[in-house]
Amino acid sequence: MTATAPSTLTATALLLDMDGTLVNSDAVVERCWRRWAVRHGLDPEAALKVVHGRQGYATMAALLPDRPMERNLAENRELLAEETADLDGVVAIPGAPEFLAALAALPHALVTSADAALARARMGAAGLRMPAIRVTAECVSASKPDPEGFLKGAAELGHAPADCVVFEDSEAGIAAGRAAGMRVVGVGPRAAAFAPDVHIPDLTRLRVETAPDGTVRLRVTP
């Protein structure tokens, strides 16, 4: 389903990815991961195909499967610091400020593969309000596409997974939302290839309404 056909999803809570969904950080991500790939003698273009949506150590494990996980975790900490310090080109996805404003009084949480410091830095650089409830990298034992982060977000909000809608841009994130038993709105060009329940090019195509019983209606418009 795409934004060319009007559609409506209902939910009681929303779970929001950050990078590629609320924040366009592609320039930073690609700069940092290209450098990492070159240092390790890997094809940067191949690395970029798997980097989005995952925690860094999981990307490293996929690209260097024979390397000890301890080294991946150590390099991931270094890469997170590098990404946190580089905010050049970090901007809001079109419609993100208005979308977050519409959710201010509704149950919602940020569920991101970034750690807390990186999430604060990128949301701040994009001029976006940080949701009060956040599930960051430190909160989970497994990276997307594992559903742990989304299930934790739903639990913290006190809502059943089936009543939640996930907003995601990446293959790993969409898979995680599905594995959590949630419906998924795919945001941006990457998401279109992974058959989310609804796909929108950006958040300007979305209108948030609240029913008298508190149900959230998400209206996708052409």
Side-chain angles (χ1 to χ4, degrees):
M1 188 183 299
T2 70
T4 58
S7 59
T8 302
L9 287 176
T10 60
T12 60
L14 306 182
L15 301 172
L16 318 174
D17 174 52
M18 182 181 70
D19 292 302
T21 302
L22 298 174
V23 173
N24 183 345
S25 57
D26 282 2
V28 179
V29 170
E30 294 188 4
R31 277 197 299 272
C32 291
W33 279 97
R34 282 180 189 279
R35 288 195 295 264
W36 180 89
V38 169
R39 287 198 299 269
H40 292 282
L42 299 173
D43 176 6
E45 297 307 318
L48 294 179
K49 290 179 180 178
V50 298
V51 67
H52 293 288
R54 304 172 190 267
Q55 290 193 43
Y57 75 85
T59 296
M60 293 171 188
L63 294 169
L64 297 171
D66 297 326
R67 197 168 75 155
M69 184 56 72
E70 291 79 7
R71 188 170 173 194
N72 294 337
L73 292 169
E75 282 198 7
N76 184 47
R77 289 190 289 271
E78 295 171 3
L79 199 63
L80 282 170
E82 187 179 337
E83 290 189 67
T84 302
D86 184 355
L87 299 174
D88 186 23
V90 174
V91 296
I93 293 290
E98 296 81 3
F99 177 55
L100 286 170
L103 299 186
L106 301 175
H108 67 287
L110 188 73
V111 181
T112 175
S113 294
D115 66 3
L118 182 57
R120 286 193 301 269
R122 286 188 176 160
M123 291 289 280
L128 296 176
R129 175 185 64 81
M130 179 69 85
I133 296 179
R134 304 181 284 275
V135 180
T136 56
E138 303 94 331
C139 303
V140 297
S141 61
S143 171
K144 299 171 185 177
D146 191 281
E148 182 184 358
F150 287 124
L151 292 172
K152 282 199 169 187
E156 287 200 37
L157 291 169
H159 290 260
D163 294 329
C164 297
V165 168
V166 164
F167 285 76
E168 266 287 359
D169 73 298
S170 69
E171 180 179 15
I174 290 170
R178 284 212 186 94
M182 302 173 184
R183 290 154 294 153
V184 181
V185 175
V187 181
R190 273 191 297 271
F194 307 114
D197 295 282
V198 172
H199 176 256
I200 52 178
D202 60 46
L203 295 166
T204 64
R205 300 294 187 94
L206 194 70
R207 190 166 75 252
V208 179
E209 301 173 351
T210 309
D213 65 357
T215 300
V216 181
R217 293 196 185 110
L218 302 169
R219 296 193 183 277
V220 176
T221 56

